[in-house]
Amino acid sequence: MAKKIIEPIKGTRDFYPQDQAWQNWLYNKARIVSQSFGYQEYEGPVLEPFSLYAAKSSEEIINKQSFVISAKNKTVQDNLILRPELTPTLARMVASKEYQLVFPLRWWSWGRFFRYEAPQKGRGREFYQWNLDLLGQDCPNADAEVITIGIRFLSSLGFTSNEIVVKVNDRKYLDEKLKIIGIADRKKLAVFRLIDKKDKVSTSDFQAMLSEEGLTKLQAQDLCLALKDTDYSGESAWLTELFSSLSDLGVDDWVEFDQTIVRGFDYYTDTVFEAQSKNNQGRALFGGGRYQNLVANVGGRRNIGGVGLAVGDMMIREALADLNCLPILSSLTAQVLVTVFNEELFRHSLLVADQLRKAGINIETYLDYQTPLAKQLDYANKKKITKVIIIGPEEAVVDKVTIKNLSSGQQKLVKQKDLISELKK
Amino acid sequence: MAKKIIEPIKGTRDFYPQDQAWQNWLYNKARIVSQSFGYQEYEGPVLEPFSLYAAKSSEEIINKQSFVISAKNKTVQDNLILRPELTPTLARMVASKEYQLVFPLRWWSWGRFFRYEAPQKGRGREFYQWNLDLLGQDCPNADAEVITIGIRFLSSLGFTSNEIVVKVNDRKYLDEKLKIIGIADRKKLAVFRLIDKKDKVSTSDFQAMLSEEGLTKLQAQDLCLALKDTDYSGESAWLTELFSSLSDLGVDDWVEFDQTIVRGFDYYTDTVFEAQSKNNQGRALFGGGRYQNLVANVGGRRNIGGVGLAVGDMMIREALADLNCLPILSSLTAQVLVTVFNEELFRHSLLVADQLRKAGINIETYLDYQTPLAKQLDYANKKKITKVIIIGPEEAVVDKVTIKNLSSGQQKLVKQKDLISELKK
């Protein structure tokens, strides 16, 4: 009886060469824009202590959507977690070298993250994320730079401000509103979490949820009104400077002030932002914000604030697919196959292949000399390799090789010493 | 009271930009050699079902050295495992597209792996591994190609055959010896596992362990004698052809036949090999072998065999450090800092920076216009940025900028339109 093929875990992905070519393409887009602004690549562990996230990240993500590994050694207090996001790791790394690192510090990273949530379009249990952060420069211009980098990235993928809007808010500005409405400081994070979900529920449900948190009907109504406010001028110097800087950076047609944007992480203190697809239920393509206390929260002694963004690979892919903008990529690495005529000429073929490799040309060699030439050509055709090199006894004796072009069908006899220049043509 | 900085998990690593530059350097070395032989990059999930490894990989690694996550949903039979190695994933991926993929198939991958073992020099709980496999070409030449690629990789890092020996064996050849000695087939895997550990124990302990597995004293003695055999000629056509092919590929001074090499994975059926550091207790730099049944074992219907190698990043780093051969790498991405003179000229600096970025030059901008210029230059010096651009009111009014070279101390006033060509000099 034939066995069933073992299935991968739900929400994980296999990256066949074609898929990996896409991942590499996306990584390179992120790398190029990060480097153009002088950001340096870094990476953290996949396994982190649970305590790193507890009470500093997002309650929902940490308690409901994380892969947790129980500590084997029972004297170890801490369980392990598969990182659901990178900012706490960044804060930990910065804190532990806070007196050696040079600030302002510009870092970016590309890595894997894990969330135990129901897989759906654009969301998996394993995904890649691009993170970019600027620490130790506490001015709205820093936030404007990070937002601009996110926009430049989307623009390099083919998106325009016709499809994308980046909604920007300031939690501090919203804090003030909450104070005026008379919402106690201790209720702030809970109210922020509800605002973050506002889009997904009706106005009456939203008000009911606020009332559950202990807000009066009037407070709830006032909050709904405040969230509709679109004019910060005269009230927020921070937002005024931020939007002016975004304009200086040439991205004003992409950005928009929106009081309902708060983002899901508890550590954000000031600017928060989210890039949304205009024609797709506001799907978020990137998000981020400023965190002034996170480095200190993980044990740092210096008061180092930062601002950062994160972009997931799966949402980007979905959004590009919706626009019919997915790039056509080849996963082929060698354009040339050196065939092998028979056992006697095997070594000869290997030597030719090696000579070409040393000249920087990627070469596949057919290794089974018992396979008829026709079948070797068949393999090259199936693989879409464009050129095949044949060295039969007649060619070998006069130090020549035949180059066969599989797309045109033409073939050419060239001297072995001219082969490199011929292939590089 | 100052809090303690949260510690990372034992056996994990933080990759600061300098460390990440090393990881990227190593990845690129692996990429270049893989591609030069026509291998295509792929990747699998980090989370895999436990059943994928059970009884097919290494008993020790799976049961004692793996991070396991209990399935949350109790109806799910399977626990999750953080992948300790890649070959079972590769087999699963190949099996599930066995009728679409074109064979011979040449794939390589670079990714993260996890083992719950005591961290020690060259070994961590999280590590990177380069994997390279050739499937669907069942001849010794395929094995010779994979071994050669491993050697080319080490050679591209600076190693020579003075420091490294690649020991090669054939499990089938050893099978025959075991049969002649009268060791039952069902004891084979257990005996292989003991041979794999032979180097770490004394001869008497080794014989005692064999006796525990039910071998007679005579059988144990015969086995020890057989393991000393260095001459396969006339007895093994496979090994004869393999070593002849390795010689054709020009790596004969690196390789050596050794009957005691069996490697730790149960799925190897034929050729097995291991690159060892000569002057460092035989530390393994890469290992691999041929697995004829693995694709079928995970559910494949076609009989697809393969051969592959794996290289860990940590051992390589240790070995390069021992030889004083670690490369000197820069983690700096921007060589130029555009300073900002004051609030009025901020926009001007941003525009100059952006113009340079569009010309492909990586640029950092100083974003806080309240920071005195001297402090901005101090930042550039600390960061080892070589060139600084200054645009004061005098420069701005005549469309010029000052370029200051921080290593020579020289500065130069250039027209803004000549800036790109000046920096690209």
Side-chain angles (χ1 to χ4, degrees):
Chain A
M1 199 191 75
K3 287 199 295 181
K4 243 187 89 185
I5 294 168
I6 292 174
E7 294 282 333
I9 301 290
K10 200 174 143 189
T12 68
R13 286 174 292 168
D14 290 336
F15 300 96
Y16 287 86
Q18 193 59 44
D19 311 310
Q20 186 60 32
W22 150 263
Q23 296 296 130
N24 288 350
W25 178 83
L26 196 64
Y27 165 83
N28 275 310
K29 292 287 183 183
R31 181 184 60 75
I32 287 166
V33 69
S34 303
Q35 292 185 340
S36 77
F37 282 80
Y39 286 67
Q40 297 174 287
E41 192 176 357
Y42 76 106
E43 175 59 307
V46 162
L47 288 166
E48 285 280 14
F50 192 84
S51 58
L52 180 63
Y53 302 87
K56 285 155 211 118
S57 183
S58 149
E59 207 179 65
E60 185 175 14
I61 289 174
I62 300 317
N63 293 326
K64 295 183 195 155
Q65 301 177 350
S66 285
F67 287 100
V68 174
I69 299 174
S70 311
K72 258 191 195 176
N73 181 341
K74 297 218 172 128
T75 64
V76 177
Q77 295 286 316
D78 231 340
N79 282 336
L80 310 184
I81 189 169
L82 291 190
R83 62 177 181 189
E85 56 138 341
L86 191 59
T87 318
T89 298
L90 170 67
R92 181 179 64 62
M93 286 174 65
V94 169
S96 71
K97 295 211 179 192
E98 58 189 340
Y99 294 105
Q100 291 117 281
L101 295 168
V102 182
F103 297 92
L105 178 147
R106 286 175 162 93
W107 281 5
W108 73 280
S109 186
W110 176 270
R112 275 187 167 182
F113 297 86
F114 303 84
R115 292 200 191 155
Y116 206 145
E117 57 182 347
Q120 51 182 287
K121 213 180 172 194
R123 287 196 184 185
R125 288 178 171 173
E126 281 188 4
F127 55 97
Y128 284 90
Q129 207 178 62
W130 172 43
N131 277 265
L132 179 134
D133 290 80
L134 170 50
L135 288 100
Q137 193 134 68
D138 301 340
C139 59
N141 297 333
D143 307 39
E145 175 170 292
V146 169
I147 294 170
T148 300
I149 291 172
I151 291 170
R152 290 283 165 84
F153 170 71
L154 291 184
S155 161
S156 78
L157 301 181
F159 292 105
T160 69
S161 56
N162 292 329
E163 298 96 36
I164 308 288
V165 57
V166 181
K167 297 186 169 175
V168 181
N169 194 14
D170 177 13
R171 278 192 175 193
K172 274 241 172 67
Y173 183 56
L174 198 54
D175 284 354
E176 291 303 315
K177 298 264 179 81
L178 263 57
K179 258 182 214 157
I180 293 164
I181 297 168
I183 298 169
D185 212 42
R186 61 185 160 78
K187 291 183 187 160
K188 199 177 76 176
L189 277 182
V191 171
F192 279 175
R193 282 183 207 138
L194 293 181
I195 296 173
D196 189 43
K197 296 217 170 83
K198 187 177 174 292
D199 273 358
K200 290 163 199 146
V201 299
S202 68
T203 308
S204 59
D205 281 355
F206 179 61
Q207 296 203 343
M209 284 153 80
L210 291 172
S211 133
E212 268 173 51
E213 287 296 336
L215 270 64
T216 66
K217 203 172 173 183
L218 191 64
Q219 283 176 328
Q221 280 172 352
D222 281 354
L223 181 63
C224 286
L225 261 180
L227 292 176
K228 284 184 185 145
D229 181 13
T230 56
D231 186 14
Y232 53 80
S233 60
E235 288 184 86
S236 167
W238 182 273
L239 283 168
T240 305
E241 195 165 340
L242 175 58
F243 276 93
S244 150
S245 187
L246 286 166
S247 162
D248 288 347
L249 285 155
V251 295
D252 31 7
D253 51 335
W254 293 72
V255 293
E256 184 178 297
F257 171 62
D258 189 330
Q259 282 271 275
T260 67
I261 297 298
V262 294
R263 302 290 301 160
F265 293 114
D266 292 345
Y267 48 67
Y268 290 134
T269 49
D270 307 77
T271 307
V272 277
F273 55 85
E274 184 173 305
Q276 296 181 351
S277 163
K278 283 182 179 175
N279 45 12
N280 204 307
Q281 304 116 25
R283 169 198 287 166
L285 290 184
F286 68 73
R290 174 169 285 277
Y291 43 91
Q292 286 304 92
N293 311 320
L294 190 59
V295 175
N297 275 344
V298 300
R301 282 152 196 242
R302 289 176 67 179
N303 183 20
I304 300 162
V307 54
L309 67 77
V311 186
D313 67 321
M314 295 177 75
M315 280 294 191
I316 295 286
R317 193 181 166 100
E318 288 296 330
L320 278 177
D322 284 351
L323 288 178
N324 266 322
C325 279
L326 281 179
I328 295 157
L329 302 166
S330 167
S331 65
L332 203 63
T333 49
Q335 297 291 342
V336 183
L337 173 75
V338 173
T339 58
V340 52
F341 201 81
N342 58 30
E343 186 172 357
E344 287 68 44
L345 287 164
F346 178 57
R347 188 189 167 92
H348 198 110
S349 280
L350 286 182
L351 290 176
V352 168
D354 221 42
Q355 187 194 1
L356 296 174
R357 271 184 207 117
K358 278 174 185 150
I361 303 170
N362 296 341
I363 297 289
E364 257 192 80
T365 327
Y366 209 93
L367 295 170
D368 187 356
Y369 47 69
Q370 289 174 354
T371 306
L373 195 59
K375 228 182 139 189
Q376 297 183 38
L377 296 184
D378 191 39
Y379 162 75
N381 267 317
K382 274 192 196 149
K383 199 104 183 268
K384 299 196 171 55
I385 288 172
T386 50
K387 284 173 187 164
V388 157
I389 289 169
I390 302 162
I391 314 161
E394 287 138 48
E395 284 103 344
V397 82
V398 291
D399 279 333
K400 288 186 173 176
V401 310
T402 295
I403 306 180
K404 191 177 167 77
N405 186 316
L406 290 181
S407 24
S408 69
Q410 285 181 322
Q411 62 182 55
K412 193 172 175 182
L413 194 68
V414 302
K415 283 187 190 148
Q416 211 172 294
K417 68 177 178 55
D418 299 332
L419 184 54
I420 293 169
S421 54
E422 185 67 31
L423 287 175
K424 285 197 169 171
K425 258 184 199 170
Chain B
M1 198 192 76
K3 287 198 296 184
K4 243 187 90 185
I5 294 168
I6 292 175
E7 294 281 333
I9 301 290
K10 200 173 144 190
T12 69
R13 285 174 293 169
D14 290 336
F15 299 97
Y16 287 86
Q18 194 57 45
D19 311 310
Q20 186 60 32
W22 150 262
Q23 295 297 130
N24 288 350
W25 178 83
L26 197 64
Y27 165 83
N28 275 309
K29 292 288 183 184
R31 182 183 60 75
I32 287 165
V33 68
S34 303
Q35 291 184 342
S36 76
F37 282 80
Y39 286 67
Q40 298 175 287
E41 192 177 357
Y42 76 105
E43 175 58 307
V46 161
L47 289 166
E48 286 280 14
F50 192 86
S51 58
L52 180 63
Y53 303 87
K56 286 154 211 121
S57 184
S58 148
E59 205 179 65
E60 185 175 13
I61 288 174
I62 300 317
N63 293 327
K64 295 183 197 155
Q65 301 178 348
S66 284
F67 287 101
V68 174
I69 298 173
S70 311
K72 262 190 192 175
N73 181 342
K74 297 215 173 131
T75 64
V76 177
Q77 296 286 314
D78 230 341
N79 282 337
L80 311 184
I81 188 169
L82 291 190
R83 62 179 182 185
E85 57 137 342
L86 190 60
T87 319
T89 298
L90 169 68
R92 181 180 63 63
M93 286 174 65
V94 169
S96 71
K97 295 211 180 194
E98 60 190 337
Y99 293 105
Q100 291 116 281
L101 295 168
V102 181
F103 297 92
L105 178 147
R106 286 175 164 92
W107 282 5
W108 72 280
S109 186
W110 176 270
R112 274 184 166 188
F113 296 86
F114 304 84
R115 292 202 191 153
Y116 206 145
E117 56 181 346
Q120 52 183 287
K121 212 178 171 194
R123 286 195 184 184
R125 287 178 172 173
E126 281 188 4
F127 54 96
Y128 284 90
Q129 207 177 63
W130 170 43
N131 277 265
L132 179 135
D133 290 81
L134 169 51
L135 288 99
Q137 194 135 69
D138 302 340
C139 57
N141 298 332
D143 307 37
E145 175 170 292
V146 169
I147 293 169
T148 300
I149 291 171
I151 292 169
R152 290 283 164 85
F153 170 71
L154 291 184
S155 162
S156 78
L157 301 181
F159 293 104
T160 69
S161 56
N162 292 329
E163 298 95 36
I164 308 288
V165 57
V166 182
K167 296 186 171 175
V168 181
N169 193 14
D170 177 12
R171 279 194 174 191
K172 275 243 171 67
Y173 183 55
L174 199 53
D175 284 353
E176 290 303 314
K177 300 263 180 79
L178 264 57
K179 258 184 213 156
I180 291 164
I181 298 169
I183 298 169
D185 212 41
R186 62 186 160 76
K187 291 184 188 161
K188 196 177 76 177
L189 277 183
V191 171
F192 278 175
R193 283 182 208 139
L194 293 181
I195 296 173
D196 188 44
K197 297 217 170 82
K198 186 176 175 295
D199 273 358
K200 290 162 199 147
V201 298
S202 68
T203 307
S204 60
D205 281 355
F206 179 61
Q207 296 204 345
M209 285 153 80
L210 290 173
S211 131
E212 268 173 50
E213 287 296 337
L215 270 65
T216 65
K217 204 171 170 182
L218 190 64
Q219 282 177 328
Q221 281 172 351
D222 281 353
L223 181 61
C224 287
L225 261 181
L227 292 176
K228 286 185 183 144
D229 181 14
T230 55
D231 186 15
Y232 54 80
S233 61
E235 286 185 88
S236 167
W238 182 273
L239 283 167
T240 305
E241 195 164 339
L242 175 57
F243 277 93
S244 150
S245 187
L246 285 165
S247 162
D248 288 347
L249 284 154
V251 295
D252 30 8
D253 49 336
W254 293 73
V255 293
E256 182 178 298
F257 172 62
D258 189 331
Q259 280 271 275
T260 68
I261 297 297
V262 294
R263 302 289 302 158
F265 294 115
D266 292 346
Y267 47 67
Y268 290 135
T269 48
D270 307 78
T271 307
V272 277
F273 54 87
E274 185 173 306
Q276 297 181 350
S277 164
K278 284 182 180 175
N279 44 11
N280 204 306
Q281 302 114 24
R283 170 196 288 166
L285 290 185
F286 69 72
R290 173 168 287 277
Y291 44 89
Q292 287 303 92
N293 310 320
L294 190 59
V295 175
N297 276 344
V298 300
R301 281 155 197 241
R302 289 175 66 181
N303 183 21
I304 301 163
V307 55
L309 67 78
V311 187
D313 68 321
M314 296 178 74
M315 280 295 191
I316 294 286
R317 191 179 168 102
E318 289 296 329
L320 278 178
D322 285 351
L323 287 179
N324 266 322
C325 279
L326 280 180
I328 294 156
L329 302 166
S330 167
S331 65
L332 203 64
T333 49
Q335 296 292 342
V336 183
L337 173 75
V338 173
T339 59
V340 52
F341 200 82
N342 58 28
E343 185 173 357
E344 288 67 44
L345 286 163
F346 178 57
R347 188 189 167 92
H348 198 109
S349 279
L350 286 182
L351 290 177
V352 168
D354 221 42
Q355 188 193 0
L356 296 174
R357 271 182 208 117
K358 278 175 185 149
I361 303 171
N362 296 341
I363 297 289
E364 255 193 80
T365 327
Y366 208 92
L367 295 171
D368 187 356
Y369 46 71
Q370 291 175 355
T371 305
L373 194 60
K375 226 182 139 188
Q376 296 184 37
L377 295 185
D378 191 40
Y379 163 75
N381 267 318
K382 274 192 196 148
K383 198 102 185 268
K384 299 193 172 62
I385 288 173
T386 50
K387 283 174 187 162
V388 158
I389 289 169
I390 302 162
I391 314 162
E394 288 139 47
E395 284 103 344
V397 81
V398 291
D399 278 334
K400 289 185 173 177
V401 310
T402 296
I403 306 179
K404 191 177 166 73
N405 186 316
L406 292 180
S407 24
S408 69
Q410 287 183 321
Q411 61 181 56
K412 193 173 175 182
L413 194 69
V414 301
K415 284 188 188 144
Q416 209 174 296
K417 67 176 179 55
D418 299 332
L419 184 54
I420 293 168
S421 54
E422 185 65 31
L423 287 174
K424 284 197 168 173
K425 258 183 199 170

